[in-house]
Amino acid sequence: MYFRELGYYLTGAALDETAGYARGPSSAEPVPDETIAANFKHLAAAAPYFQPAHFDATFETGLEILLAGIERSNQKQD
Protein backbone atom coordinates (compact mmCIF):
# COMPACT_ATOMS: atom_id res chain seq x y z
CA MET A 1 0.00 0.00 0.00
CA TYR A 2 2.71 2.52 0.93
CA PHE A 3 4.63 1.68 -2.20
CA ARG A 4 1.63 2.81 -4.26
CA GLU A 5 1.12 5.99 -2.26
CA LEU A 6 4.74 6.99 -2.67
CA GLY A 7 4.71 5.98 -6.34
CA TYR A 8 1.58 8.02 -7.05
CA TYR A 9 3.04 11.06 -5.28
CA LEU A 10 6.28 10.85 -7.25
CA THR A 11 4.50 10.14 -10.55
CA GLY A 12 2.13 13.06 -10.02
CA ALA A 13 5.01 15.39 -9.24
CA ALA A 14 6.90 14.26 -12.33
CA LEU A 15 3.84 14.72 -14.56
CA ASP A 16 3.23 18.15 -13.09
CA GLU A 17 6.83 19.16 -13.77
CA THR A 18 6.77 17.99 -17.39
CA ALA A 19 3.27 18.90 -18.58
CA GLY A 20 1.16 20.11 -15.70
CA TYR A 21 0.33 23.27 -13.87
CA ALA A 22 3.77 24.75 -14.37
CA ARG A 23 2.84 25.47 -17.98
CA GLY A 24 -0.32 27.40 -17.30
CA PRO A 25 -3.96 26.97 -16.33
CA SER A 26 -5.25 23.45 -16.66
CA SER A 27 -8.85 24.57 -16.77
CA ALA A 28 -10.66 25.09 -20.06
CA GLU A 29 -12.17 28.26 -18.58
CA PRO A 30 -9.82 29.65 -15.92
CA VAL A 31 -11.33 31.75 -13.16
CA PRO A 32 -10.11 35.37 -13.34
CA ASP A 33 -7.60 36.42 -10.67
CA GLU A 34 -9.97 39.19 -9.55
CA THR A 35 -12.73 36.65 -8.81
CA ILE A 36 -10.35 34.45 -6.86
CA ALA A 37 -9.06 37.42 -4.83
CA ALA A 38 -12.60 38.59 -4.04
CA ASN A 39 -14.24 35.24 -3.30
CA PHE A 40 -11.51 32.79 -2.35
CA LYS A 41 -9.13 34.67 -0.04
CA HIS A 42 -7.39 31.54 1.31
CA LEU A 43 -6.73 30.26 -2.20
CA ALA A 44 -5.41 33.68 -3.23
CA ALA A 45 -3.09 33.71 -0.21
CA ALA A 46 -1.70 30.27 -1.09
CA ALA A 47 -1.32 31.00 -4.82
CA PRO A 48 2.26 32.34 -4.64
CA TYR A 49 3.43 28.97 -3.28
CA PHE A 50 2.35 27.28 -6.50
CA GLN A 51 4.80 29.35 -8.56
CA PRO A 52 8.02 27.79 -9.93
CA ALA A 53 10.16 29.42 -7.23
CA HIS A 54 8.44 27.23 -4.63
CA PHE A 55 8.19 23.92 -6.53
CA ASP A 56 11.11 22.24 -4.77
CA ALA A 57 10.04 23.30 -1.28
CA THR A 58 6.43 22.29 -1.95
CA PHE A 59 7.51 18.88 -3.25
CA GLU A 60 9.83 18.28 -0.30
CA THR A 61 7.20 19.33 2.24
CA GLY A 62 4.63 17.02 0.69
CA LEU A 63 7.09 14.13 0.62
CA GLU A 64 8.02 14.72 4.28
CA ILE A 65 4.34 14.75 5.27
CA LEU A 66 3.72 11.52 3.34
CA LEU A 67 6.73 9.75 4.86
CA ALA A 68 5.86 10.95 8.39
CA GLY A 69 2.35 9.56 7.97
CA ILE A 70 3.74 6.21 6.84
CA GLU A 71 6.10 6.16 9.82
CA ARG A 72 3.27 6.96 12.27
CA SER A 73 1.11 4.26 10.74
CA ASN A 74 3.89 1.70 11.09
CA GLN A 75 4.46 2.68 14.75
CA LYS A 76 0.76 2.14 15.52
CA GLN A 77 0.92 -1.35 13.99
CA ASP A 78 3.90 -2.42 16.11
Side-chain angles (χ1 to χ4, degrees):
M1 178 171 83
Y2 301 128
F3 176 77
R4 283 187 145 177
E5 288 176 11
L6 190 56
Y8 291 152
Y9 182 80
L10 296 173
T11 300
L15 289 171
D16 189 36
E17 284 288 319
T18 59
Y21 297 108
R23 298 203 178 187
S26 61
S27 174
E29 297 179 28
V31 176
D33 290 340
E34 298 80 22
T35 302
I36 293 172
N39 299 311
F40 306 100
K41 293 184 187 332
H42 295 294
L43 180 60
Y49 299 100
F50 292 95
Q51 298 300 316
H54 296 281
F55 285 171
D56 288 345
T58 301
F59 171 80
E60 289 174 16
T61 299
L63 184 58
E64 288 172 8
I65 291 168
L66 178 61
L67 293 174
I70 291 170
E71 185 176 347
R72 275 193 309 276
S73 180
N74 282 335
Q75 288 173 350
K76 288 178 184 178
Q77 292 177 2
D78 291 339

